[in-house]
Amino acid sequence: MDLELVVVDDGSDDGTLEALRRVDDPRLRVLARPPNGRVAALNTAVGAARGRYIANLDADDVALPGRLSASVAFLDAHPAVGAVGSARVPNLGGSPGGVRRLPRSDAAIRWGFLVRNSMVHSAVTFRASALRAIGGYDPAYERRCQDADLLLRIAARYRMRNLDAPLIAKRIHAEQHFAAVSRVHRARVHARLRRRGARELGFPAALRPLAAAVAGVAALRSYVVIAGLGCSAK
């Protein structure tokens, strides 16, 4: 498989840039820039990528065998699909559990977005053309849920799918990017995304009141679970 690995060094000061520059592999492209935040770094990578497809891997997660080949094969065979994700394996180093299966069909993913994120960012492979058509990641979501906002905007214009096989291992821990964000802000953003899903995901007119009701209950749950109990509703 032809691939390139684009790494945006967002002003690191821990020796990361020097270590990357010692890697002798023509597939690796290192872009160094002053620190400007996660969303700006993601958009820099999207803008620099030269392939037909773009796959993100968050720093805390692990790609499993077949992560890229399975996703590329699916997108090659389904030109109407703008992004494909997958199931994931249990939280590495955390609470045990079985494989987390996610909604697979386009319709199921849309209904799933009314309750929680129904695609895992590290498991998603995007059409580069779809990412650029919607303008990439939105700086308004710098502090939280830039992936969920992006997926909502893609789903409003393209079909979505999840593969049944787990292609990534997720790691959840106390030092993650979102952990420093206040629980109230996290709850507010989650609730906003649930309501946006009901408005933006193209539900048939007869089902829009039901979609709004489901999103409203899920938004209330976000405030109770995240702000009240301090849990993650990713």
Side-chain angles (χ1 to χ4, degrees), residues 7-223:
V7 179
V8 179
D9 185 277
D10 193 48
S12 69
D13 57 6
D14 60 357
T16 295
L17 184 58
E18 292 73 18
L20 287 168
R21 285 174 170 164
R22 289 195 295 270
V23 177
D24 184 18
D25 190 324
R27 297 172 298 179
L28 174 65
R29 297 175 60 203
V30 180
L31 307 177
R33 46 169 293 147
N36 198 26
R38 176 175 170 80
V39 168
L42 286 166
N43 282 332
T44 296
V46 169
R50 295 173 294 198
R52 284 181 298 158
Y53 305 129
I54 295 176
N56 171 76
L57 182 67
D58 289 340
D60 303 301
D61 301 335
V62 177
L64 301 179
R67 162 68 181 90
L68 295 176
S69 59
S71 303
V72 167
F74 185 88
L75 289 172
D76 280 347
H78 299 85
V81 173
V84 60
S86 78
R88 68 170 175 86
V89 302
N91 176 19
L92 295 180
S95 58
V99 172
R100 181 182 172 191
R101 306 290 179 186
L102 296 169
R104 294 183 62 188
S105 70
D106 181 70
I109 288 170
R110 290 171 190 277
W111 283 101
F113 272 131
L114 301 181
V115 178
R116 62 171 62 221
N117 293 354
S118 49
M119 302 181 83
V120 180
H121 196 207
S122 285
V124 177
T125 300
F126 304 93
R127 291 192 188 278
S129 57
L131 268 182
R132 292 170 182 140
I134 65 163
Y137 294 82
D138 186 347
Y141 287 85
E142 171 67 41
R143 296 175 62 198
R144 183 69 172 137
C145 293
Q146 57 276 157
D147 54 339
D149 163 71
L150 181 85
L151 288 163
L152 278 180
R153 288 185 287 122
I154 290 181
R157 298 177 61 171
Y158 301 90
R159 297 182 66 80
M160 313 288 271
R161 286 291 295 272
N162 274 320
L163 303 180
D164 194 47
L167 297 181
I168 63 116
K170 189 79 179 165
R171 285 193 282 206
I172 305 293
H173 57 83
E175 268 96 56
Q176 286 184 296
H177 173 74
F178 68 80
V181 179
S182 76
R183 293 199 300 266
V184 171
H185 177 77
R186 286 161 55 190
R188 185 179 298 120
V189 174
H190 274 270
R192 182 192 313 153
L193 289 165
R194 306 292 76 89
R195 296 189 182 102
R196 276 186 52 197
R199 294 193 307 268
E200 298 174 11
L201 292 182
F203 293 100
L207 295 178
R208 286 174 198 161
L210 177 59
V214 171
V217 171
L220 178 60
R221 173 185 175 274
S222 295
Y223 281 105

